[in-house]
Amino acid sequence: MTFEVTSYDNPAGTQTSQEKQYKYRSAAGVSAWLTPTQAAREPGWERCSKQPKTAKFGRQNPLCARWNSPEQLLDWREAWADAVNRALEEKQQSARVTHLSHAALGLDEQPTVHEGSQARSLELQGIKADRCELNRQIRADNKLLRELKTQLAKLSKVVENTVEHIAETLERLRSSLIMLQYRLLVNRKRADTWKRQVNYYRPILQDYHAVTQQLADKKSEQEQLQTNRSVLSPLQIVRRRQLAEQIAALTEKIEELRSRQAMILRNLDCKNNGEAQRFGSYLDKLEEMQQNLAAQRENLAQQLSATTKQYLEIENMIQPEDADAVHRHRTAMRKAYTAEIYRQIQTTATVDDILFSKAEQRAEQITADTRNDAIFTRKPTEPTR
């Protein structure tokens, strides 16, 4: 741990080394952060803290800056990956690890988040943990992305574009659009829920910390006044009465702050300060996971755009005389493909039927728009009847 320091001038007027600041109180009850030398210059200051004042960012030591830098962390990760790969090679294992991120490797798949022992313990007890739920969704999205890439690779190898094949391909792409739309809706719903929780509880928690700090300051001030009163002579009646009135006023204020603190704890559904601290950590995790959801949402939007583009390309391949036949084939197989997508979602989480219906509607809207675009694009080349 590093501490904030301040320089001072010695009695001879020459600059000396740096000193740490400590909390001092004067006989009048005034608090201040002073160095031991500054406190010694003016009598009446009494040190009331053993811990020095901490700096916000610490001393800017080049070695410390390098130690905490992202470059140093990357070097450590690379060294660890090299050590693991050497061990795997010695064991004649084909698996290898890398210290690089998905972005650095140029991968389209979304990386999973760290779950931790607490989340996994909840899962073992049958309780769904948010982090594990998010990872399940990420894995499902990555699987969908791999399937889309596989489908696109197969499409590029197709030589004959039969009516049945085109209809099947369009229905598979429509099913993928439904899946992507459903994932986006679930993502937004979860992000909105977490955002509302953070926005509601964060001000309450900040108010609790402010009240707790005020309560600690008032208690410290009360203790100081009681100490000052105890050293007064019984003959100093006026001063003793003044201190007694101040102590009584502080006692009333402390009781008021305690009552307010207890009320805030009830609003947070916490029993003590420890639970309030853990609740604050929980809100921090929710904010972190909101960022993960935003990255996942962007990835899903890109997949949706690519799938829509592929859908339009296939639509444009349909000859006017085959349009009715393709539509009949698609109508016949649509129910089965929709049921398959529904079952796929069920394997990872409980399906929200309302969101699934919205996803179907949005997918239908997209395919309707692309059909209109396709008809508009082909119309000039169609023969006039």
Side-chain angles (χ1 to χ4, degrees), residues 35-48:
T35 64
T37 302
Q38 290 173 336
R41 292 177 182 172
E42 300 181 13
W45 290 99
E46 182 180 355
R47 181 167 158 180
C48 56

Side-chain angles (χ1 to χ4, degrees), residues 271-301:
K271 298 179 180 179
N272 49 48
N273 183 63
E275 290 189 4
Q277 294 293 339
R278 288 191 291 273
F279 190 77
S281 300
Y282 168 72
L283 294 182
D284 294 338
K285 290 179 181 178
L286 284 187
E287 290 179 335
E288 178 186 348
M289 293 171 69
Q290 285 183 58
Q291 298 176 357
N292 295 329
L293 285 178
Q296 183 189 65
R297 192 160 54 248
E298 182 179 356
N299 184 270
L300 288 171

Side-chain angles (χ1 to χ4, degrees), residues 65-81:
R66 171 61 185 175
W67 180 269
N68 296 313
S69 67
E71 294 78 9
Q72 181 64 47
L73 177 60
L74 188 63
D75 291 343
W76 287 335
R77 289 169 61 91
E78 183 177 7
W80 174 253

Side-chain angles (χ1 to χ4, degrees), residues 102 110-115 134-136 138-139 142 292:
H102 280 53
Q110 182 74 12
T112 55
V113 300
H114 176 67
E115 294 180 353
L134 180 59
N135 276 343
R136 281 191 287 270
I138 289 174
R139 294 188 186 99
N142 288 338
N292 295 329

Side-chain angles (χ1 to χ4, degrees), residues 4 73 114 129 150 158 164 201 215 236 292 315 324 366:
E4 183 179 272
L73 177 60
H114 176 67
T150 303
V158 174
E164 293 80 2
Y201 285 109
L215 185 59
Q236 295 177 295
N292 295 329
E315 279 272 10
D324 291 339
I366 291 175

Side-chain angles (χ1 to χ4, degrees), residues 285-355:
K285 290 179 181 178
L286 284 187
E287 290 179 335
E288 178 186 348
M289 293 171 69
Q290 285 183 58
Q291 298 176 357
N292 295 329
L293 285 178
Q296 183 189 65
R297 192 160 54 248
E298 182 179 356
N299 184 270
L300 288 171
Q302 292 175 356
Q303 295 179 43
L304 181 64
S305 177
T307 306
T308 303
K309 181 180 178 181
Q310 181 64 28
Y311 185 96
L312 179 59
E313 291 176 354
I314 303 299
E315 279 272 10
N316 284 328
M317 293 170 56
I318 303 175
Q319 299 299 321
E321 60 273 16
D322 297 332
D324 291 339
V326 170
H327 179 71
R328 286 196 301 272
H329 280 84
R330 291 186 61 184
T331 303
M333 63 180 69
R334 176 163 299 177
K335 186 176 180 179
Y337 277 108
T338 304
E340 180 184 354
I341 286 295
Y342 193 93
R343 287 193 297 271
Q344 287 183 16
I345 298 174
Q346 276 186 322
T347 59
T348 58
T350 304
V351 182
D352 189 322
D353 291 331
I354 296 178
L355 294 185

Side-chain angles (χ1 to χ4, degrees), residues 33-186:
W33 290 96
L34 302 172
T35 64
T37 302
Q38 290 173 336
R41 292 177 182 172
E42 300 181 13
W45 290 99
E46 182 180 355
R47 181 167 158 180
C48 56
S49 173
K50 295 181 180 180
Q51 299 296 330
K53 185 178 181 182
T54 59
K56 185 176 182 181
F57 298 105
R59 296 178 181 175
Q60 299 302 315
N61 187 303
L63 293 177
C64 294
R66 171 61 185 175
W67 180 269
N68 296 313
S69 67
E71 294 78 9
Q72 181 64 47
L73 177 60
L74 188 63
D75 291 343
W76 287 335
R77 289 169 61 91
E78 183 177 7
W80 174 253
D82 291 341
V84 172
N85 288 331
R86 284 196 300 270
L88 290 172
E89 187 175 358
E90 291 174 359
K91 297 294 183 180
Q92 297 182 351
Q93 299 291 326
S94 60
R96 294 293 184 269
V97 300
T98 178
H99 64 288
L100 298 175
S101 64
H102 280 53
L105 293 172
L107 298 179
D108 296 330
E109 295 185 5
Q110 182 74 12
T112 55
V113 300
H114 176 67
E115 294 180 353
S117 59
Q118 293 183 353
R120 292 176 181 173
S121 177
L122 290 175
E123 290 282 324
L124 292 175
Q125 299 173 26
I127 304 173
K128 290 186 177 181
D130 290 334
R131 287 175 172 263
C132 296
E133 186 72 12
L134 180 59
N135 276 343
R136 281 191 287 270
Q137 184 174 340
I138 289 174
R139 294 188 186 99
D141 293 340
N142 288 338
K143 180 181 178 182
L144 175 61
L145 177 60
R146 289 191 294 270
E147 291 176 354
L148 289 175
K149 288 183 177 180
T150 303
Q151 292 178 15
L152 294 179
K154 290 180 180 179
L155 287 174
S156 63
K157 297 179 181 179
V158 174
V159 179
E160 296 180 357
N161 293 317
T162 63
V163 169
E164 293 80 2
H165 178 77
I166 292 175
E168 181 182 357
T169 302
L170 288 175
E171 278 307 299
R172 286 193 176 277
L173 288 173
R174 177 183 176 275
S175 299
S176 298
L177 289 173
I178 294 175
M179 175 71 84
L180 290 169
Q181 287 287 359
Y182 180 79
R183 296 296 185 194
L184 278 170
L185 290 170
V186 171

